Structure formats: C-alpha cells, structure tokens
Amino acid sequence: MRRDDRFRFSLQWSADTEEKAKVGAFLERLGNKKSDFIVLAVVEYLQRHPEMEIPGAKIKITYQPLHTKEQLLAMVRDMVKTSVGEFLSGNTVASTQSSQPPEMSLGPSEQDIDAMVASLKLFDQS
C-alpha cells in the first residue's frame, strides 16, 4: 500500500517448506534491514527476468515440500506403532491372523497400520 512517499506491506507465511523456513530465518536475522534487502532482491530478480515487467506477465512459483508424502506416511506409521505400543504396554493382544495357537503381541500388525494409514483422507490431497 502506498501512502505519501512510503510503501507499507505486511508479509506472513508458514514454515511448511525448506525454502520458506530458510528465508524466514534469514529475514529475522536482518532485523531493521529487511526492507532494504527485499528491495534489492526484487530489483535483482527483475533484472534477471525482464519479462516480469510486461503488463499481465505471470510468475510461476514452485517449491519443494518439507517432507514427501512417503516420508509423512512413514512418520505416521512410526507414531502409531509407538503410541499403540505404549498404550498396550503390559497388556497382550492375541493375534487373529493365523489358525495356529494365539501369538501374543504388544501392538497392531504391519497390515493393521497400513490399513489405518491407507484410510487417512489427509493423504488423498495432492
């Protein structure tokens, strides 16, 4: 927003990618020099990409997520194993997977965890 001879902006973003976290930490270290640095960075960007000054030009923004879907799924599996294991510590659960004598275990099977994780709607979003 422009007011008299000054511009005023407010920026905010989450630290959900490595790039965003790195830039946020860097800008925090700059203290009162953030504005000057951002002006220099944008000017340098525009010099490298003069097409951006064409009216109606579009910028394509891409980034790498902090964790891949596979890494997140592995973390959820590990948390489920740990949490259920702690919850059931001291209690044994008979396995119903085979017709052999019941085997005692302290948590869900890998198949149980896979089925639970597969049912999570959060990971269906792309």
Side-chain angles (χ1 to χ4, degrees):
M1 178 171 72
R2 185 173 189 162
R3 199 174 270 180
D4 299 323
D5 66 337
R6 299 175 64 89
F7 291 94
R8 182 174 183 89
F9 299 96
S10 175
L11 300 172
Q12 180 178 342
W13 60 86
S14 61
D16 60 348
T17 68
E18 200 169 324
E19 292 94 342
K20 291 177 182 179
K22 184 177 180 179
V23 169
F26 176 76
L27 290 174
E28 279 294 315
R29 288 194 316 264
L30 287 178
N32 292 333
K33 303 286 184 186
K34 285 186 220 32
S35 298
D36 293 336
F37 180 80
I38 289 175
V39 168
L40 292 174
V42 172
V43 166
E44 184 173 323
Y45 181 87
L46 291 173
Q47 288 171 346
R48 290 183 182 193
H49 302 278
E51 69 277 7
M52 292 309 304
E53 296 204 55
I54 298 171
K58 299 203 182 216
I59 186 170
K60 181 179 179 185
I61 299 173
T62 59
Y63 63 90
Q64 294 294 330
L66 197 54
H67 298 288
T68 65
K69 179 179 176 179
E70 291 74 24
Q71 290 170 325
L72 290 173
L73 287 170
M75 287 190 280
V76 168
R77 282 188 185 94
D78 290 343
M79 287 187 280
V80 167
K81 281 184 190 178
T82 301
S83 297
V84 172
E86 289 172 0
F87 178 73
L88 296 175
S89 65
N91 300 324
T92 56
V93 178
S95 173
T96 59
Q97 297 296 327
S98 68
S99 59
Q100 296 178 357
E103 185 179 294
M104 303 309 264
S105 69
L106 288 178
S109 69
E110 290 294 323
Q111 295 83 8
D112 294 335
I113 293 172
D114 287 341
M116 188 274 309
V117 171
S119 70
L120 295 174
K121 300 291 184 208
L122 173 67
F123 294 103
D124 292 341
Q125 302 170 4
S126 296

